[in-house]
Amino acid sequence: MDKKIENVVFNQIINDHLKPNIRQIDEKSYYPKEFLNAVGKAGFFSSNFLQMEDVRCGELYIIEETAKFCMTSAFTLWCHLAALASFRLSNNPYINNHLLPFFESGDVLTGTGLSNAIKYYAGMERIRLKAEKTDGGYMISGSLPNVSNLDHDHWFVILASLNEKQRIICSLPVNVEGLILESKTNYIGLNGSATYACFFDNVFIPDKWIISEEADEFIPKVRPILALYQIPLGIGVSQAAIESIVKSHLKNKEVNQHFKTQHTELIKKLQIVRTRTYEYARYVDLNTIGKEILLTRLDIAKLTPEVVHAEMLYSGGQAYIQGNDTFRRLRESYFLLNLSPTIMLLETLC
């Protein structure tokens, strides 16, 4: 499909399946499952016959475009794409030939429970899940406090420790026996992200669901992709905020010209981050630029709050009205600071 046609198709999906539900997503914990299904059915999750660099650029774009309207929905999109990145790196034939096609079709959606893994390999957290080898697979026990983009028919990705020397990466469906989910909806934002605490009571994971039995080697391969795909969350929110600032500036130039932060400066900063992000997506081996990706992820984590705070000032009193998009973007921006890798972790690593 031609790139311009793809953009038109995606914009239509946003108009039909996302825009009408944004208030419900933000205020009523409405999970945008229909939107995600529609994105998949239109082919935006497919990697068939494509260079991986083109896949990455396309997936960055749909996260960015979604985040312009709703970062909660963009985050659920990131969760699915983060899981897809893990599945695509697997050497397990069952995953490659049977599971991945379902996930790329959008008929079956996925989440990722790898936050614990990212923090563990950064030396910030112990591994929360334990694995025990058994006939035909592994038994998993433990708990994860927050896993997003889950529903009754979804799958997700986890890391578990077999012993001090070996850790494994697994996939599993939400409806597996021994898994208990507890809904989490008391956040200031992102309540529509279908986030759950997950409790594992001897959950059996057959060998065919194992993504990798060598997590120590696998995580460094997938980690740059996860971080790269988080950057357009901030880009999209920032673009929407800047558009709002420009409109406010034009309405009252005499007053707004005295603000220290001007939209022209913010546009330049954001364009630098965006250009760099899409350039990184073109690298064949992202591990060679892992540090640069983390630095850019840190840049957007700092820039997005700056932009949305400026938008609050430019918008004035209307930003304090319930349901206002400006205040929603302010709340969304704080999630970007705490999404693993958090801004504290990024500053430590960089």
Side-chain angles (χ1 to χ4, degrees):
M1 189 187 299
D2 181 81
K3 190 60 66 176
K4 289 183 179 179
I5 296 176
E6 283 186 357
N7 295 350
V8 170
V9 171
F10 192 75
N11 288 335
Q12 191 61 52
I13 291 173
I14 287 177
N15 289 332
D16 293 344
H17 299 282
L18 180 58
K19 285 184 179 180
N21 299 315
I22 291 176
R23 286 286 296 273
Q24 289 190 74
I25 293 168
D26 183 49
E27 299 174 11
K28 305 294 183 182
S29 302
Y30 177 80
Y31 172 51
K33 184 178 181 179
E34 294 81 4
F35 166 71
L36 298 173
N37 288 144
V39 173
K41 289 177 181 177
F44 288 97
F45 297 150
S46 177
S47 61
N48 285 340
F49 310 112
L50 295 174
Q51 296 292 325
M52 195 49 60
E53 303 92 289
D54 293 326
V55 171
R56 292 192 207 114
C57 286
E59 292 179 342
L60 286 173
Y61 173 79
I62 62 175
I63 295 173
E64 175 187 334
E65 287 299 303
T66 303
K68 288 181 183 178
F69 300 96
C70 175
M71 199 175 87
T72 298
S73 300
F75 173 59
T76 63
L77 193 55
W78 174 84
C79 290
H80 182 71
L81 295 174
L84 284 186
S86 298
F87 291 122
R88 288 168 183 157
L89 288 171
S90 178
N91 293 322
N92 185 329
Y94 182 82
I95 287 177
N96 295 333
N97 300 327
H98 297 278
L99 293 183
L100 184 58
F102 284 110
F103 300 143
E104 289 197 341
S105 71
D107 291 332
V108 181
L109 298 171
T110 60
T112 178
L114 293 181
S115 174
N116 177 230
I118 299 301
K119 292 176 181 177
Y120 166 74
Y121 285 104
M124 296 183 67
E125 199 170 273
R126 63 177 177 81
I127 296 178
R128 293 177 175 271
L129 300 179
K130 302 299 181 184
E132 182 179 343
K133 193 73 178 81
T134 188
D135 290 341
Y138 296 86
M139 302 298 291
I140 308 293
S141 298
S143 64
L144 296 174
N146 299 293
V147 182
S148 299
N149 204 46
L150 300 184
D151 202 5
H152 65 93
D153 57 350
H154 288 31
W155 285 60
F156 64 111
V157 177
I158 60 171
L159 173 140
S161 176
L162 187 62
N163 52 52
E164 290 184 1
K165 296 183 178 180
Q166 186 180 2
R167 284 145 289 277
I168 61 175
I169 302 290
C170 320
S171 61
L172 70 155
V174 166
N175 59 9
V176 70
E177 184 178 354
L179 178 65
I180 299 173
L181 270 57
E182 182 181 290
S183 180
K184 307 285 285 288
T185 56
N186 293 318
Y187 302 114
I188 62 169
L190 280 291
N191 280 327
S193 59
T195 297
Y196 293 84
C198 299
F199 302 92
F200 296 75
D201 183 12
N202 288 320
V203 173
F204 177 65
I205 305 291
D207 289 329
K208 64 182 180 180
W209 295 351
I210 301 299
I211 295 174
S212 174
E213 291 185 306
E214 300 297 334
D216 293 3
E217 297 175 5
F218 185 87
I219 289 295
K221 296 176 183 177
V222 74
R223 184 168 47 201
I225 306 175
L226 305 188
L228 182 70
Y229 279 16
Q230 290 173 356
I231 299 170
L233 294 171
I235 293 174
V237 171
S238 298
Q239 286 179 334
I242 289 173
E243 289 177 10
S244 172
I245 289 172
V246 171
K247 291 178 182 177
S248 298
H249 182 80
L250 293 175
K251 288 180 181 178
N252 198 352
K253 287 184 179 181
E254 292 299 320
V255 173
N256 291 334
Q257 67 178 332
H258 299 294
F259 277 121
K260 182 178 179 180
T261 304
Q262 292 292 312
H263 65 275
T264 51
E265 175 190 350
L266 296 174
I267 290 171
K268 288 179 182 178
K269 288 182 178 180
L270 185 62
Q271 189 57 51
I272 290 171
V273 172
R274 188 179 189 277
T275 300
R276 201 188 307 154
T277 300
Y278 281 87
E279 287 176 350
Y280 291 158
R282 287 287 174 191
Y283 276 69
V284 175
D285 184 2
L286 295 185
N287 288 299
T288 62
I289 53 167
K291 183 69 174 290
E292 289 83 354
I293 290 173
L294 290 179
L295 283 168
T296 304
R297 169 70 172 83
L298 180 60
D299 286 342
I300 198 64
K302 292 181 175 180
L303 178 58
T304 302
E306 178 185 354
V307 175
V308 296
H309 277 92
E311 184 191 6
M312 287 290 292
L313 295 176
Y314 275 91
S315 298
Q318 68 177 1
Y320 294 87
I321 298 173
Q322 190 70 33
N324 183 270
D325 289 338
T326 296
F327 182 53
R328 173 173 55 80
R329 284 190 282 269
L330 179 74
R331 289 183 284 110
E332 289 175 339
S333 71
Y334 280 97
F335 176 73
L336 191 61
L337 304 181
N338 291 295
L339 174 62
S340 295
T342 66
I343 193 167
M344 288 187 291
L345 176 55
L346 287 166
E347 288 180 334
T348 300
L349 295 174
C350 296

